[in-house]
Amino acid sequence: MALDLFNASVQHGLDVAGISVFAISGALLGVRKNFDVFGMAVLAEVTALGGGIFRDLVIGAIPPVAFTDLGYLLTPLVVTVLVFFLHPEVERINKAVNFCDAAGLGLFCVVGTTKAHEYGLGLTASVVLGMATAAGGGVLRDILAGDVPQLLRWDRDLYAIPALVGASATALLIKFGQLNGATAAGAAALAFVLRLAAMNYGWRAPRAWQRRSTAVEAE
């Protein structure tokens, strides 16, 4: 993701860190679903890279960076091997994983929005792709695992909305010519803190006004 907001090596390190924590969530879901190692690897790859690949295909950044930087493609595989052998220990640090996942969400919504705008999209479309970059992999993961995506479930803490807020803040910074390394970090931190608050306080999006449905989501 060749952005000028940070030093290239710093940016690459942040990307790999975000990919790693998203891959952990995918591989762990594979464990919970009793998938074999190949299934775990597929979920790890899709969770970590799916949102970015979708964004790159939409904006015409072909081939997607996930296929031009071997580190991006291999990182989820390394994570899969670690989770395969150490998943009980990884489960025990679930809070730390969620913390890192929230950080990845903040980073990717900023990176996605900025890259989409650099490729000529308007601010609104850039915000949508920024949100998709951050949350799209999780949607694909849940679909492949046979679950209703957590993004759509009322009984899950806010996830897409923090990404939307971070992407919108980034778009506003672009509009007013104030986007730089420090302000981009601030937009990412905004999404990060909102996601952490949602997890800590159980914030959820409202359901339909005066709804009559009695449907209950399955665990």
Side-chain angles (χ1 to χ4, degrees):
M1 299 178 184
L3 301 176
D4 296 328
L5 296 176
F6 305 104
N7 175 277
S9 60
V10 172
Q11 180 64 50
H12 189 271
L14 291 172
D15 286 344
V16 170
I19 287 170
S20 297
V21 294
F22 283 165
I24 289 172
S25 71
L28 281 177
L29 182 58
V31 173
R32 295 175 190 135
K33 290 286 186 176
N34 204 30
F35 287 1
D36 63 18
V37 66
F38 182 78
M40 291 170 57
V42 168
L43 290 189
E45 291 280 2
V46 165
T47 308
L49 304 176
I53 290 174
F54 173 77
R55 177 206 60 222
D56 287 351
L57 291 174
V58 170
I59 65 179
I62 306 297
V65 67
F67 297 105
T68 59
D69 188 319
L70 194 59
Y72 285 32
L73 198 61
L74 292 181
T75 296
L77 297 181
V78 173
V79 168
T80 299
V81 173
L82 293 175
V83 172
F84 181 83
F85 289 106
L86 303 174
H87 63 86
E89 287 72 19
V90 176
E91 290 277 15
R92 278 196 285 270
I93 60 169
N94 192 52
K95 287 186 177 180
V97 172
N98 286 337
F99 182 90
C100 294
D101 182 82
L105 180 82
L107 170 67
F108 281 13
C109 71
V110 172
V111 169
T113 303
T114 306
K115 186 169 184 179
H117 188 262
E118 286 183 341
Y119 273 76
L121 269 65
L123 291 178
T124 301
S126 296
V127 167
V128 172
L129 281 183
M131 182 176 66
T133 302
V139 172
L140 294 174
R141 173 201 63 206
D142 293 341
I143 291 173
L144 288 177
D147 293 337
V148 175
Q150 294 189 26
L151 184 86
L152 305 179
R153 293 182 60 168
W154 67 267
D155 59 341
R156 292 293 186 266
D157 302 332
L158 297 180
Y159 195 85
I161 290 178
L164 179 62
V165 170
S168 298
T170 304
L172 288 174
L173 290 169
I174 293 172
K175 179 179 177 62
F176 293 105
Q178 299 299 314
L179 187 67
N180 53 48
T183 58
L190 178 61
F192 169 66
V193 170
L194 185 55
R195 172 59 181 156
L196 286 184
M199 290 191 292
N200 189 48
Y201 297 108
W203 292 348
R204 298 170 182 171
R207 287 180 282 174
W209 179 255
Q210 294 183 339
R211 69 184 187 90
R212 297 181 181 276
S213 173
T214 58
V216 177
E217 287 283 3
E219 291 296 334

